[in-house]
Amino acid sequence: MSDHHTRHERPKTEVSRRVFLRRSSELSFAAAVTITAGGALLNASEAWALDVKGLQPETMKTLILIARDIYPHDKVADRFYAIAMKPYDEKAAGDPATKAQLEAFVAGLDAAAGKGGYAGLGWESQRAALLRAVSASPMFETIRSGLIVSLYNNPEVWPIFGYEGESYSKGGYITRGFDDIDWI
């Protein structure tokens, strides 16, 4: 160590714990989600599986990662993003036009990403740049706006954000601590 560094200074090459964990989780998603022969996605590390019926399993895997990249939350498990994207698979199973649009959207991102495709990009910033480039497309907007409802309207996700749910049926916020919001 040179004389100009003190014991408490970090060299510029070190990565913070938060950045290390975020990057590790990004890399682990692609490795953790495997595609079974029957067209299901399996995430053994989080113990969930998703049966894929309308889309290619690789497309669904990429859509789940796209959902995480659009609304990234370190504390939200991948299974919630999978649940949020499942309606697109269901719609694609019954509507060939929707299937073609979703497959083409993901294929375009894969092509723009190069070797390894979108899911193969190891850095969130690289994937975010690709999403910004297609953010004006109707399919991106459909996915982004659909996530607002399918991800954030899931009661299982609310405790992660500290949201207690609607209050009317419980007597309203006045009697339940209307001023105790600590998640904003």
Side-chain angles (χ1 to χ4, degrees):
M1 187 186 301
S2 64
D3 293 338
H4 69 278
H5 283 105
T6 65
R7 185 174 179 211
H8 300 289
E9 289 181 10
R10 286 186 175 158
K12 294 184 185 220
T13 58
E14 284 190 23
V15 176
S16 73
R17 180 177 180 271
R18 177 174 172 73
V19 170
F20 173 78
L21 291 173
R22 184 180 72 227
R23 289 179 183 167
S24 297
S25 69
E26 292 167 3
L27 295 173
S28 68
F29 173 79
V33 176
T34 57
I35 299 170
T36 67
L41 298 181
L42 175 66
N43 185 326
S45 66
E46 290 183 10
W48 62 264
L50 181 71
D51 191 25
V52 182
K53 296 181 180 186
L55 296 169
Q56 296 294 321
E58 295 85 3
T59 300
M60 193 64 186
K61 180 178 175 179
T62 301
L63 285 173
I64 294 167
L65 185 56
I66 288 169
R68 179 172 283 288
D69 288 339
I70 292 173
Y71 292 113
H73 298 288
D74 294 338
K75 293 181 179 181
V76 177
D78 290 332
R79 73 182 179 99
F80 294 115
Y81 290 99
I83 291 167
M85 296 309 292
K86 182 63 177 164
Y88 293 99
D89 178 58
E90 292 168 354
K91 187 170 182 183
D95 182 12
T98 298
K99 179 179 179 170
Q101 291 170 341
L102 286 164
E103 296 283 356
F105 178 74
V106 170
L109 286 173
D110 285 342
K115 186 179 177 184
Y118 183 88
L121 291 176
W123 300 100
E124 180 182 337
S125 60
Q126 293 172 311
R127 294 189 309 268
L130 289 177
L131 290 176
R132 275 191 289 281
V134 298
S135 64
S137 74
M139 185 51 66
F140 175 86
E141 185 55 30
T142 297
I143 292 169
R144 187 204 61 78
S145 61
L147 278 169
I148 293 171
V149 175
S150 60
L151 181 62
Y152 296 115
N153 226 16
N154 182 343
E156 291 183 60
V157 175
W158 296 346
I160 297 168
F161 298 117
Y163 177 59
E164 298 172 1
E166 62 84 24
S167 185
Y168 178 77
S169 66
K170 299 169 184 114
Y173 286 110
I174 297 296
T175 60
R176 293 185 61 233
F178 71 96
D179 60 353
D180 67 353
I181 294 177
D182 62 356
W183 53 272
I184 293 184

